[in-house]
Amino acid sequence: MTETGEDYTEARLSGQWWEKRQFAGCDFTEADLRDLRTRGCTFDNCDFTKVDLAGSRHDASAFRSCTFDRSVLADSRWSSCSLLGSSFVDCRYTGIALTECDLSLASFARGRLRKLDLSGLRMREVNLNEADLTDSDLRGTDLSGSRMLGTRFSGADLRGAVVDANGLVQADLRGAYVDVELAVAFAAANGLVVK
């Protein structure tokens, strides 16, 4: 049964174990969800503003079109999760681990995503405008269709990543690590003739 429109504002729910629970339009603003464990749960259009999810673990759970505004995601673990269409604003990501997750259509605009392991993730059509991905690992990540106006990739590893021509023109790739295929695509996207 889906919990719809429930108010969990400032709730103290740390250390709980949730399995196959469904939430829609629920408000978790300023809730304490530290060390929460979810498996097979769904959260649709839920508000996680100022939520503390530090140390939480999520396995095969979906957080679709949710809002994470000034949320603490430090040391959280996400495995085989969907964050489709969710919005992240001024969040704390230190120590976050994402494995086999789908972040397509999510927004990390102006996000500080430095030194994160984002390798192998599905990040199609993500809003990364003005985000800082300095020294992040994006090997094998699918960034096709993503918006990257002013995105900084200094020291980031983009080997094997999928980036379309718009991203290659809009992003600041100075100092990024790329493979030959991406280097050729970058040259072509910026008007060079590669022979």
Side-chain angles (χ1 to χ4, degrees):
M1 185 160 98
T2 303
E3 298 181 46
T4 304
E6 295 293 330
D7 186 357
Y8 292 98
T9 303
E10 298 183 356
R12 301 293 170 242
L13 303 167
S14 61
Q16 292 196 13
W17 170 261
W18 295 351
E19 188 165 6
K20 296 183 180 176
R21 290 181 67 176
Q22 298 176 338
F23 302 86
C26 295
D27 188 353
F28 292 91
T29 300
E30 296 190 22
D32 180 356
L33 301 178
R34 287 173 296 162
D35 300 315
L36 173 70
R37 303 291 191 266
T38 70
R39 180 185 296 274
C41 293
T42 60
F43 301 84
D44 292 304
N45 297 299
C46 292
D47 189 348
F48 292 94
T49 297
K50 295 185 180 178
V51 162
D52 190 346
L53 279 160
S56 61
R57 303 288 183 266
H58 310 280
D59 184 38
S61 291
F63 295 77
R64 297 180 292 242
S65 298
C66 292
T67 299
F68 295 85
D69 186 347
R70 293 161 286 163
S71 306
V72 178
L73 306 173
D75 299 316
S76 59
R77 301 286 178 265
W78 309 71
S79 177
S80 302
C81 290
S82 171
L83 296 157
L84 184 73
S86 288
S87 173
F88 298 82
V89 179
D90 292 331
C91 294
R92 289 178 42 200
Y93 303 103
T94 306
I96 191 173
L98 299 152
T99 308
E100 296 180 10
C101 290
D102 186 352
L103 283 72
S104 296
L105 300 170
S107 176
F108 295 93
R110 293 178 294 284
R112 188 172 168 85
L113 306 168
R114 300 169 67 101
K115 299 182 179 180
L116 296 183
D117 183 354
L118 303 171
S119 60
L121 300 180
R122 184 180 173 104
M123 296 180 71
R124 300 180 110 188
E125 298 183 49
V126 169
N127 182 355
L128 291 169
N129 287 342
E130 298 181 38
D132 184 358
L133 287 111
T134 298
D135 297 325
S136 287
D137 185 351
L138 293 136
R139 287 174 295 169
T141 297
D142 185 354
L143 292 161
S144 54
S146 293
R147 289 173 281 168
M148 299 185 190
L149 186 62
T151 306
R152 293 178 298 284
F153 287 101
S154 177
D157 193 339
L158 288 161
R159 290 174 290 179
V162 177
V163 184
D164 61 22
N166 281 339
L168 293 171
V169 171
Q170 295 174 345
D172 181 355
L173 294 165
R174 287 175 292 182
Y177 296 93
V178 299
D179 52 23
V180 172
E181 184 177 338
L182 195 57
V184 170
F186 174 81
N190 284 281
L192 297 178
V193 178
V194 180
K195 290 188 176 183

